[in-house]
Amino acid sequence: MERWLRLAGSIQLSLHAVVQGRAWLWLDDPQAALELAPGELALVRGGLDHHIAHESGAPCLDPAEFKARHAHDDRADDRRATVFLCGAYRFSGDVGEGLLGALPQVLPLSAAVGDPLHDVVAVLSRELAASEPGQQTVLDRLLDVLLVLAIRTSFKRSDSAPRWFRAAADPRLSAALQAMHDDAARAWTVPELASLSGLSRAAFARSFRRALGQAPMQYLTDWRMTLARDYLRTGEPTLAQVAARTGYASPYAFAAAFRRHHGRPPGLWREQQAERAALSGDGTGTSGDGVHFG
């Protein structure tokens, strides 16, 4: 009896791409399984365990057992074999959580000819066809690219995509948004941002509020606080370093802004987050995030 793969709901985001054969993916109900053909892929958010197999309802193994059972399989020339790739991603902090929260539980995507998703899956297929030095590194990077493209495609097709993503596609706002995201430490002003957008100050402010639901400086403050929370969770930068990275002239100015935003000083907030992470057994670092959108 062939046994396939079961992935725990504790995995925050999984990516599955079929490059040969067919596979079925389901959560708790095999009757609602999703069929994946070559060139098709699916994103699965954490929550429920999910399964991927050659037929719906087939017995599945956890990743360690699956790897041990199939470690010595050699089916490179077997055209009847199903070949698929799985990527498991962990996100830490508010930036990653914001991405995850905008995705459905299961997102199937079809990579049409001419779509960058199709091109990356094709490169993955060729890379799998022969074992070459550095293959695992290449596969890891290609899966990362595939994940970014899949999330981007999902947002483009969704009516509930984050407002910042829709605004980033607006030529009147994209340059200003990119500038704020790339250089949060700069002392931006509305006239400077308007100039980047090629608009008057008033026109820029109106367009920005209409698209993002808040004024440009409020959005910048919220973005700085998002970055600050992620920096504080790592436990590594000093308050002076966090202040410098988020556009505040001193630790005191940063602490005052953070207290206004969160109702407590950053040092206390960091201690409480560390205690919470220790109790839950969860890490506090952000270095494991698999993708970056800005």
Side-chain angles (χ1 to χ4, degrees), residues 42-200:
L43 293 177
V44 185
R45 274 201 300 117
L48 298 171
D49 290 359
H50 66 279
H51 313 74
I52 185 165
H54 66 293
E55 62 181 19
S56 60
C60 294
L61 304 171
D62 65 37
E65 293 174 304
F66 180 86
K67 184 176 181 179
R69 181 179 289 261
H70 296 288
H72 303 293
D73 289 358
D74 184 10
R75 300 185 180 180
D77 298 324
D78 185 355
R79 304 310 301 172
R80 297 170 301 172
T82 294
V83 180
F84 65 99
L85 294 110
C86 297
Y89 294 85
R90 179 173 184 78
F91 295 81
S92 301
D94 292 353
V95 177
E97 290 295 334
L99 286 174
L100 288 174
L103 295 171
Q105 181 74 62
V106 179
L107 175 68
L109 293 168
S110 181
V113 175
D115 188 321
L117 283 170
H118 180 276
D119 297 336
V120 176
V121 172
V123 175
L124 280 165
S125 301
R126 289 195 293 272
E127 185 64 28
L128 284 168
S131 180
E132 299 283 351
Q135 183 184 57
Q136 190 58 54
T137 299
V138 172
L139 292 175
D140 288 346
R141 297 293 77 77
L142 286 172
L143 277 170
D144 287 347
V145 171
L146 195 60
L147 176 64
V148 173
L149 291 174
I151 293 176
R152 182 194 294 171
T153 299
S154 166
F155 286 172
K156 285 180 178 178
R157 298 177 183 177
S158 172
D159 293 332
S160 59
R163 298 181 87 166
W164 60 262
F165 183 85
R166 296 197 300 270
D170 186 335
R172 299 169 301 172
L173 301 175
S174 58
L177 274 175
Q178 190 67 48
M180 285 189 278
H181 290 170
D182 287 348
D183 191 3
R186 180 166 172 169
W188 293 107
T189 65
V190 173
E192 284 179 316
L193 295 169
S195 177
L196 288 174
S197 299
L199 298 172
S200 69

